Structure formats: structure tokens, C-alpha cells
Amino acid sequence: QVQLQESGPGLVKPSQTLSLTCTVSGGSINSGDYYWSWIRQHPGKGLEWIGYIHYSVNTNYNPSLKSRLSISVDTSKNHFSLKLSSVTAADTAVYYCASSWELPPGFDYWGQGTLVTVSS
Amino acid sequence: QSVLTQPPSASGTPGQRVTISCSGSSSNIGTNFVYWYQQLPGTAPKLLIYRNNQRPSGVPDRFSGSKSGTSASLAISGLRSEDESVYFCASWDDSLSGPVFGGGTKLTVL
């Protein structure tokens, strides 16, 4: 059973970079044809896809975030990471990592989510 | 403003059948699969339906999905109190080149 776990600071100052890591257990991040995604949910709102990485090198980002976004994989640590630069209060949200066995949005495994607040 | 449109709320009584709609366009639902998620308060979404009408292992057959044109529906039969949750639809969008979600429907079991 694959499990995902997000980790990273819960508070980030405006204009700084938000950095989160998703650790994969119960399976290898290198195995199969999985897509590894980040999704966020603003307080009391719907879901917003942030981006994904596939085969460790192929990335696809939401155009609205692309200029500030980077997603990468560290196969030695079996985790993938999110970096979102120049954050503002509008980036305050619960951030989820998720995996999909086919082209998203069929997300079969999710992390528990981590709240990131952007505030000085 | 979500790309896919869902009613903000729905309700039903125990044992009843309820449906939740999801409306999109030719660039998403019209040409791609639809997925449905259930999100209980304070938890991550859980996949209920994939590829329009397929259920992952462990999802009761009380849950069913359908698609017609640029719209889709989630039906829940034999409604139970534990079905009270928020339900999201999702699809791939060819214009965005990425997945899009509905705004979510809060289902209340009266």
C-alpha cells in the first residue's frame, strides 16, 4: 500500500519561496508509469492542480503558476518536491501531494495535506 | 471560479437516491474522462469514480457515475448518514493541458 506524506514549513513570509516535500513509502517513486502531483485547496474552497512530474524528468505545470513553480524528484530519498517562489497571501492553502497511475486526474493515493500560511 | 460547474449543495434522506451534476465543455468533459472524489472534513479527497463510471476496489456499488456530452453525474443510491461529505468532479482539460476540478457539492443527509 503506497503512502504519501507531505512535510515542510507551515508558515512562509510573503515574497519568499514555499518548499514542500512528499515522501513516498510502500513503493518506489521510480516504479511504473506513475504521475506525481501537487494539488492545493484554499480554505473552504475547491481543489486546484499545481503540477506533476512523470518519469522523474517530465513536468507539467498549471499555466497560472508556471513562472513561479518547480517540481523535482529525488530518487535516492524516494520523494518529490515542490518549490513555489514569490508567494503572497493568495498562496495560503492546504497543499496535497498525490499519485496517479494514469494521466491525471485519477489520483489514487493522497497525502494527508499540509496547511501553508503566507504571512509576515 | 472553477472550470467545472457543480451545484454548491445537495440533500437527501436516508435510503434515497441523489444525483450530483458536473458541467464542463468540449475541452474537458466533452472529450476526456470524468473522475469523482469524496472529501470528508479535514481529510484528503478519496477517489470514488474513475474513467466516467469505474469504481476503485472498495468503493460500494451504491456509487455510480455517468457522462453525456459535456456533463457528468454522480449518483448515490441507498443514501446513508456517512455519505454526508463534499463531492468533487474532475477531468483533463485540453486547453489547460492539465486536470481541472469542480467547485464541490456539499451533500447533506437529512
Side-chain angles (χ1 to χ4, degrees):
Chain A
Q1 176 82 353
V2 173
Q3 291 185 313
L4 306 178
Q5 177 69 58
E6 305 90 350
S7 59
L11 181 64
V12 181
K13 289 182 167 50
S15 80
Q16 293 192 341
T17 296
L18 181 161
S19 296
L20 295 174
T21 294
C22 180
T23 301
V24 180
S25 58
S28 170
I29 202 166
N30 257 339
S31 66
D33 197 25
Y34 264 73
Y35 295 78
W36 306 97
S37 289
W38 288 97
I39 296 155
R40 68 182 182 181
Q41 186 169 32
H42 294 101
K45 302 294 185 183
L47 301 163
E48 179 184 25
W49 169 71
I50 297 171
Y52 66 69
I53 188 164
H54 184 224
Y55 280 129
S56 297
V57 292
N58 299 322
T59 55
N60 186 16
Y61 300 150
N62 189 319
S64 68
L65 300 169
K66 187 173 183 176
S67 63
R68 302 190 289 130
L69 184 61
S70 174
I71 297 176
S72 59
V73 165
D74 187 330
T75 55
S76 67
K77 296 180 180 177
N78 217 40
H79 74 209
F80 63 107
S81 299
L82 162 75
K83 290 187 187 300
L84 184 65
S85 63
S86 305
V87 297
T88 69
D91 294 309
T92 293
V94 174
Y95 285 76
Y96 294 100
C97 58
S99 65
S100 46
W101 76 100
E102 61 179 17
L103 191 66
F107 302 107
D108 50 353
Y109 296 107
W110 294 68
Q112 65 185 28
T114 186
L115 174 62
V116 178
T117 302
V118 178
S119 174
S120 55
Chain B
Q1 188 81 358
S2 300
V3 174
L4 305 181
T5 301
Q6 297 180 240
S9 63
S11 63
T13 55
Q16 198 174 17
R17 182 178 187 269
V18 297
T19 60
I20 296 172
S21 63
C22 176
S23 177
S25 68
S26 57
S27 66
N28 42 66
I29 293 178
T31 50
N32 296 291
F33 292 125
V34 178
Y35 300 75
W36 289 92
Y37 292 88
Q38 177 190 54
Q39 187 176 33
L40 297 169
T43 69
K46 170 190 172 185
L47 182 64
L48 277 183
I49 298 289
Y50 67 97
R51 292 194 174 192
N52 302 334
N53 54 21
Q54 303 299 301
R55 281 186 309 277
S57 173
V59 173
D61 59 7
R62 300 187 298 106
F63 294 90
S64 62
S66 64
K67 182 183 113 168
S68 178
T70 58
S71 295
S73 293
L74 172 71
I76 309 171
S77 60
L79 199 62
R80 299 182 178 185
S81 58
E82 58 261 38
D83 297 333
E84 189 161 286
S85 184
V86 178
Y87 294 86
F88 293 96
C89 59
S91 184
W92 180 268
D93 188 281
D94 294 332
S95 299
L96 176 70
S97 292
V100 291
F101 292 91
T105 298
K106 180 173 172 53
L107 174 64
T108 301
V109 180
L110 301 169

